[in-house]
């Protein structure tokens, strides 16, 4: 309890007595609220009624989502100025800030909205490829930048699954499957719903991550759609066709977190899939720029969390479920002794704040679980973090 309290205090405001200097900050952020990436959202028969309509094309950042990201930018910008990473009264020098976005509309738009909130009248360059042109930094496996060891990946997935196997996971999830089916189908009879296909995992290859199928796969997708409907501020009559509330969203987001626990966080999968962004992360941590901001996806968040063994909980979501607009924040602190340490945190709005447009984001400290020589307050030597980020 004492260590947790010290960590929370350190995240809020570094002690003046210790006088550490924040040399650089690296932020890996998930894009803001979007609709489902497909229309229809899921295969015919999954739901008894048509899915709600959205104000933008599939997968794009919504207007509500853009406003939420701007609010995050305002709060992040104030914090970055307070700790000296951004200048207080002028635009940052071009060489002191690096904003990288994947080439999807939602990631590019999220970067622009964040910059509008954080940097007001400044016009930073956003490093991204033309929209919808595949960026190897966010898809290193298909681009041939890295490779998965299929044997190591299979062993890591097997360990994550546990001794009861995938059938055991399905049994444990059965009450949640039932609740989700009730939301999807109301009183409609089968074949509506998730179906009866057991959860399966297609093994990884050298250039492809393992893939989920069956009930857990469908449940993860459906639960994420319900979360996005709620977060976007849709009327409660539209959220889950009027059959889902905030408690359901929190409980059902377990599916999404579980998918990532099995297939995105294990290191033999996480490290190769993060390899395209690893040079950007390492450059930022080594202080070559003051602020590095990467706008990516929930999978990128889960990969970095797996590599460093990071854990968090956003109010209204399941543990370790990456929130829309949520971010892993890594600060490099130079101590009075000259030693450089890394402090990790997770920054996100609560689910209710996303929906209502009110309330400040929460910054919660995280221990770097993969650190072999942690320092008081959950800090980790910079060299260890850089080593962990090696492919």
């Amino acid at each position: 309890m004492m260590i947790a309290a010290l960590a929370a205090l350190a995240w809020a405001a570094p002690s003046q007595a210790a006088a550490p200097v924040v040399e650089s900050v690296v932020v890996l952020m998930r894009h803001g609220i979007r609709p489902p990436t497909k229309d229809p959202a899921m295969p015919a028969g999954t739901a008894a009624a048509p899915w709600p309509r959205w104000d933008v094309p599939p997968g794009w950042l919504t207007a509500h989502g853009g406003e939420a990201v701007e609010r995050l930018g305002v709060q992040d910008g104030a914090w970055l100025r307070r700790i000296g990473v951004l200048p207080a009264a002028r635009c940052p020098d071009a060489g002191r800030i690096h904003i990288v976005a994947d080439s999807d509309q939602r990631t590019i738009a999220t970067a622009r909205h964040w910059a509008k909130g954080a940097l007001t009248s400044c016009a930073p360059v956003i490093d991204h490829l033309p929209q919808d042109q595949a960026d190897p930094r966010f898809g290193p496996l298909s681009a041939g930048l890295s490779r998965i060891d299929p044997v190591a990946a299979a062993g890591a997935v097997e360990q994550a699954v546990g001794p009861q196997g995938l059938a055991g996971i399905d049994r444990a999830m059965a009450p949640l499957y039932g609740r989700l089916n009730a939301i999807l189908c109301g009183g409609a009879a089968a074949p509506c719903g998730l179906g009866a296909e057991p959860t399966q995992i297609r093994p990884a290859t050298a250039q492809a991550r393992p893939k989920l199928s069956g009930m857990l796969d469908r449940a993860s997708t459906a639960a994420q759609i319900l979360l996005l409907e709620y977060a976007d501020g849709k009327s409660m009559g539209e959220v889950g066709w009027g059959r889902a509330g905030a408690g359901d969203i929190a409980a059902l987001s377990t599916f999404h977190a579980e998918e990532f626990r099995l297939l995105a966080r294990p290191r033999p999968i996480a490290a190769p899939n993060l390899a395209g962004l690893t040079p950007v992360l390492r450059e930022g941590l080594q202080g070559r720029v003051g602020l590095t901001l990467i706008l990516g996806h929930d999978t990128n968040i889960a990969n970095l969390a797996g590599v460093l063994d990071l854990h968090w909980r956003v109010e209204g979501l399941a543990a370790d479920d990456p929130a829309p607009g949520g971010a892993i924040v890594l600060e490099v602190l130079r101590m009075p002794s000259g030693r450089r340490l890394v402090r990790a945190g997770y920054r996100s709005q609560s689910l209710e704040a996303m929906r209502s447009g009110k309330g400040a984001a929460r910054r919660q400290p995280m221990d770097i679980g993969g650190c072999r020589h942690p320092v008081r307050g959950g800090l980790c030597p910079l060299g260890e973090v850089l080593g962990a980020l090696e492919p």
Side-chain angles (χ1 to χ4, degrees):
M1 291 297 290
M2 180 62 72
I3 291 176
L6 288 169
L9 180 62
W11 177 261
S15 167
Q16 294 302 310
V21 174
V22 182
E23 285 196 335
S24 60
V25 173
V26 177
V27 180
L28 177 59
M29 178 174 169
R30 185 187 177 187
H31 58 76
I33 301 161
R34 60 156 176 82
T37 55
K38 299 176 182 178
D39 187 14
M42 294 190 72
T46 305
W51 294 84
R53 306 305 300 173
W54 293 75
D55 61 358
V56 294
W60 285 33
L61 185 72
T62 67
H64 186 90
E67 292 168 0
V69 169
E70 282 187 32
R71 288 192 297 274
L72 286 170
V74 169
Q75 295 173 44
D76 288 348
W79 173 68
L80 290 164
R81 291 183 183 89
R82 190 166 63 249
I83 64 175
V85 170
L86 292 180
R90 60 177 174 82
C91 294
D93 296 336
R96 292 295 295 163
I97 182 170
H98 188 194
I99 301 178
V100 180
D102 197 4
S103 54
D104 297 301
Q105 187 277 346
R106 60 186 174 273
T107 42
I108 297 171
T110 295
R112 290 172 177 162
H113 279 282
W114 185 92
K116 181 179 178 181
L119 304 172
T120 57
S121 60
C122 304
V125 173
I126 298 173
D127 177 3
H128 67 86
L129 295 184
Q131 185 174 320
D132 299 327
Q133 178 180 321
D135 189 333
R137 293 174 295 186
F138 292 87
L141 294 171
S142 57
L145 296 183
S146 60
R147 296 170 66 86
I148 288 178
D149 179 339
V151 175
V157 170
E158 182 179 6
Q159 183 176 5
V161 168
Q164 300 301 313
L166 292 170
I169 291 176
D170 279 343
R171 286 193 296 273
M173 295 287 184
L176 282 179
Y177 289 149
R179 177 60 191 142
L180 182 52
N181 276 331
I183 294 169
L184 291 168
C185 303
C192 178
L194 301 173
E197 180 188 353
T199 298
Q200 300 178 59
I201 295 175
R202 184 178 71 196
T205 67
Q207 292 185 301
R209 292 176 289 146
K211 183 170 176 55
L212 199 65
S213 64
M215 286 190 290
L216 181 56
D217 176 46
R218 296 190 192 116
S220 176
T221 300
Q224 184 70 182
I225 295 169
L226 297 179
L227 184 154
L228 293 165
E229 291 174 357
Y230 189 89
D232 200 51
K234 291 188 179 297
S235 72
M236 291 308 296
E238 289 184 288
V239 177
W241 303 273
R243 295 188 286 270
D248 293 310
I249 303 301
L252 297 175
S253 72
T254 300
F255 294 130
H256 199 232
E258 181 71 355
E259 177 182 359
F260 284 153
R261 186 185 73 82
L262 295 174
L263 301 185
R265 292 180 66 105
R267 184 178 176 84
I269 301 163
N273 202 51
L274 190 67
L277 294 174
T278 297
V280 182
L281 294 165
R282 288 174 57 85
E283 180 182 67
L285 289 169
Q286 289 169 322
R288 294 175 186 168
V289 293
L291 171 65
T292 300
L293 174 67
I294 303 172
L295 279 305
H297 308 273
D298 46 9
T299 302
N300 305 132
I301 298 284
N303 290 158
L304 180 57
V307 166
L308 297 181
D309 191 14
L310 304 173
H311 299 276
W312 64 88
R313 180 69 179 264
V314 173
E315 185 179 348
L317 279 69
D320 294 340
D321 193 8
I328 293 173
V329 181
L330 303 176
E331 299 172 72
V332 178
L333 308 179
R334 179 166 49 82
M335 309 306 288
S337 65
R339 192 179 189 189
R340 298 164 82 194
L341 303 173
V342 177
R343 177 164 63 202
Y346 191 83
R347 189 274 288 132
S348 178
Q349 297 166 310
S350 69
L351 181 63
E352 289 301 324
M354 290 179 227
R355 178 175 174 81
S356 69
K358 300 175 182 178
R362 181 188 175 201
R363 302 176 183 277
Q364 54 185 283
M366 297 187 291
D367 288 336
I368 301 175
C371 187
R372 292 170 298 167
H373 303 96
V375 179
R376 177 183 60 84
L379 306 181
C380 186
L382 175 61
E384 283 202 37
V385 175
L386 293 173
L389 288 171
E390 290 286 355

